[in-house]
Amino acid sequence: MKKENLAALAAMSNRYGSDPAYVLAGGGNTSYKEKDVLFIKGSGTALATIKAEEFVGIDREKLGAIWGKTYPEKESEREAAVLADMMASRLPGETRRPSVETLLHDLFPYSFVLHVHPATVNGLTCSKEGKKAAAELFPDAVWIENSKPGYLLAALCRGRLAGRVSAGGGFPKIVFLENHGIFFAADTTGEIDVTVARVMRGIAGRLSELPDASDAPVDLKKAEEIAAKLAGLCGEGGTAFVKHIRQRSLLGYDPLTGSLTPDHIVYCKAKPLIIRDGEDIASAFSAYRANNGYKPKVVYCRGLGAFCLGNSEREAEIAAEVFWDAVKITVYARSFGGVSPMPRDLEDFIVNWEVESYRSKVKV
């Protein structure tokens, strides 16, 4: 039975993971649990290609013991200690690193869990009126307010979900995470598919505006010149790749919006470098690096679009995909009162969070 269920988990993971409407880069995670063991996607592993034998096996008793421990108040020390205990809960012989959301997956009393970050859903979770709209559309779901990821998020969810159960509401199968994404849970992957379709259909029915992905007419010669300059600045004598994107909705995007979800910080950094017409690109690039401690992943030029940078062609493409995802979210959010970016303290936490840094370095 375990073999069949792991095969079903892999099939579900591959299906959603290969669909950019649900998963980009190394985002999202899935799990299957039995009484004593939880099998979960490893951090940085691609859902699109994961195989049944590649899920990380976790001893649920050892994992659950984390809730009985007292951890340091200092964030860096707390997260390091929790990570060490989570790693120690792996089954003998496991070498892969389990998803940072392993504790959260284990909370659900259902066999299968799917966690994804669809732009359509995040148009709701990253909006000013998202919580209200979610309650209207999905009264059986739970909304979790912004929280620092990892142990604190899992603890917040644990308390909120337990409170719902004790109040007679039952354990939900849909959980919205503000400025993050959504969890689906059920005892079969087929039931998860039905629930996913219901949520996506419900949100789509409330959208008054859709992103325009058609290319805007821009000065392509000027764009090529800027791309060449950025490749030289980013490569510093080596090879750098630049992906220029110019969707119509992107040209109307406000690059000062702020970070929307952890994935946008992981793959695009917390903010783009904004180049104004006539500005010296080399000076702006240097100033950005000096102020932030790293090179930009996205350079936004008004009237031209965005230039997404990477040390490989795939890395530049991922930055482009994820930045366009942020633009789409802002458009969807207009149907729910307008976009609401992450609080600054949460953004700063994720910028410096070791776990997310690890995930961004894993090949996808």
Side-chain angles (χ1 to χ4, degrees), residues 62-81:
K62 290 182 179 178
L63 184 68
I66 288 176
W67 297 118
K69 296 188 175 183
T70 300
Y71 291 101
E73 291 187 11
K74 187 176 179 180
E75 291 175 346
S76 59
E77 295 177 2
R78 179 191 66 238
E79 294 303 323

Side-chain angles (χ1 to χ4, degrees), residues 319-343:
E321 291 169 1
V322 177
F323 190 69
W324 170 237
D325 181 76
V327 175
K328 291 194 294 183
I329 289 171
T330 62
V331 175
Y332 292 135
R334 293 171 193 162
S335 299
F336 306 103
V339 69
S340 178
M342 304 170 81

Side-chain angles (χ1 to χ4, degrees), residues 25-44:
N29 39 69
T30 57
S31 69
Y32 160 70
K33 67 174 69 67
E34 298 178 337
K35 180 180 178 181
D36 301 319
V37 182
L38 171 74
F39 296 92
I40 190 162
K41 191 199 87 162
S43 183

Side-chain angles (χ1 to χ4, degrees), residues 240-253:
F241 294 82
V242 181
K243 175 77 173 180
H244 175 226
I245 54 176
R246 53 189 176 95
Q247 296 94 333
R248 289 180 184 271
S249 286
L250 185 146
L251 265 68
Y253 171 76

Side-chain angles (χ1 to χ4, degrees), residues 8-293:
L9 175 64
M12 178 181 73
S13 302
N14 298 162
R15 188 168 64 255
Y16 287 102
S18 59
D19 188 342
Y22 293 94
V23 173
L24 295 176
N29 39 69
T30 57
S31 69
Y32 160 70
K33 67 174 69 67
E34 298 178 337
K35 180 180 178 181
D36 301 319
V37 182
L38 171 74
F39 296 92
I40 190 162
K41 191 199 87 162
S43 183
T45 306
L47 282 177
T49 56
I50 193 169
K51 298 179 175 62
E53 64 273 16
E54 293 176 339
F55 290 93
V56 184
I58 303 291
D59 184 316
R60 295 188 68 196
E61 183 177 359
K62 290 182 179 178
L63 184 68
I66 288 176
W67 297 118
K69 296 188 175 183
T70 300
Y71 291 101
E73 291 187 11
K74 187 176 179 180
E75 291 175 346
S76 59
E77 295 177 2
R78 179 191 66 238
E79 294 303 323
V82 173
L83 175 60
D85 285 341
M86 192 165 67
M87 297 286 273
S89 72
R90 294 176 298 178
L91 297 181
E94 286 285 6
T95 58
R96 287 164 291 218
R97 181 169 176 163
S99 166
V100 68
E101 284 150 346
T102 297
L103 279 169
L104 216 165
H105 277 253
D106 194 55
L107 295 177
F108 290 90
Y110 305 109
S111 299
F112 293 92
V113 177
L114 167 70
H115 171 49
V116 285
H117 317 131
T120 307
V121 170
N122 279 335
L124 188 77
T125 71
C126 300
S127 69
K128 296 175 181 177
E129 299 174 2
K131 182 178 181 179
K132 177 184 177 183
E136 294 171 352
L137 290 167
F138 313 107
D140 56 327
V142 167
W143 178 280
I144 302 295
E145 289 78 12
N146 267 314
S147 171
K148 293 178 180 177
Y151 178 78
L152 291 183
L153 174 59
L156 173 62
C157 290
R158 182 172 182 252
R160 184 68 57 78
L161 298 175
R164 177 187 171 99
V165 172
S166 63
F171 208 101
K173 295 184 177 181
I174 305 170
V175 175
F176 290 97
L177 301 181
E178 186 176 9
N179 287 109
H180 189 137
I182 188 169
F183 274 84
F184 299 97
D187 284 326
T188 67
T189 59
E191 185 182 349
I192 284 183
D193 290 341
V194 171
T195 306
V196 170
R198 175 166 69 92
V199 168
M200 299 298 281
R201 186 170 58 248
I203 295 175
R206 289 284 293 269
L207 297 177
S208 58
E209 182 180 356
L210 299 178
D212 186 345
S214 63
D215 283 341
V218 302
D219 187 337
L220 294 179
K221 182 178 179 181
K222 186 175 183 180
E224 289 175 1
E225 293 173 353
I226 291 175
K229 289 180 181 179
L230 290 172
L233 292 167
C234 189
E236 296 178 327
T239 301
F241 294 82
V242 181
K243 175 77 173 180
H244 175 226
I245 54 176
R246 53 189 176 95
Q247 296 94 333
R248 289 180 184 271
S249 286
L250 185 146
L251 265 68
Y253 171 76
D254 181 0
L256 297 174
T257 296
S259 300
L260 300 181
T261 76
D263 272 359
H264 297 109
I265 297 175
V266 170
Y267 296 107
C268 295
K269 300 299 185 184
K271 57 186 176 182
L273 165 60
I274 303 171
I275 300 293
R276 293 166 179 80
D277 191 36
E279 186 173 7
D280 182 71
I281 295 176
S283 297
F285 193 97
S286 178
Y288 180 101
R289 188 173 186 179
N291 291 334
N292 295 284

